[in-house]
Amino acid sequence: MAERDGRAVDEKRLPGRQGPLALVYLALERARPVPIDELADAVWGESLPRAWETALSAIVSKLRSSLGDLGVGVTTV
């Protein structure tokens, strides 16, 4: 769970099973930019959905929103 100053991310705002997986992976790899295909592999493995880029974009957008509510910025390169 992501927390800052005693406030936590509402887990209901993280999309399904993929949201928490993406959040954990990005947190573990925070020292470097994570390529989109690498994040997709971490989230879905070999079972990429047909429109995985769109789905991953939606997941990251929801993560940004949830973390932004805590005052944590998420950037992309």
Side-chain angles (χ1 to χ4, degrees):
M1 167 146 350
E3 184 178 312
R4 183 174 187 187
D5 299 328
R7 296 182 349 202
V9 170
D10 181 358
E11 292 182 44
K12 295 175 190 171
R13 295 190 61 197
L14 299 179
R17 184 182 73 84
Q18 295 83 15
L21 283 173
L23 177 59
V24 168
Y25 192 82
L26 290 170
L28 290 172
E29 299 296 332
R30 66 186 172 275
R32 67 181 183 89
V34 176
I36 189 171
D37 57 331
E38 181 181 331
L39 183 56
D41 186 50
V43 171
W44 289 292
E46 298 293 320
S47 303
L48 287 176
R50 182 171 286 157
W52 68 268
E53 289 174 319
T54 301
L56 191 57
S57 178
I59 290 167
V60 171
S61 178
K62 288 179 182 178
L63 288 178
R64 276 192 191 112
S65 176
S66 294
L67 293 174
D69 290 347
L70 296 178
V72 177
V74 178
T75 59
T76 57
V77 177

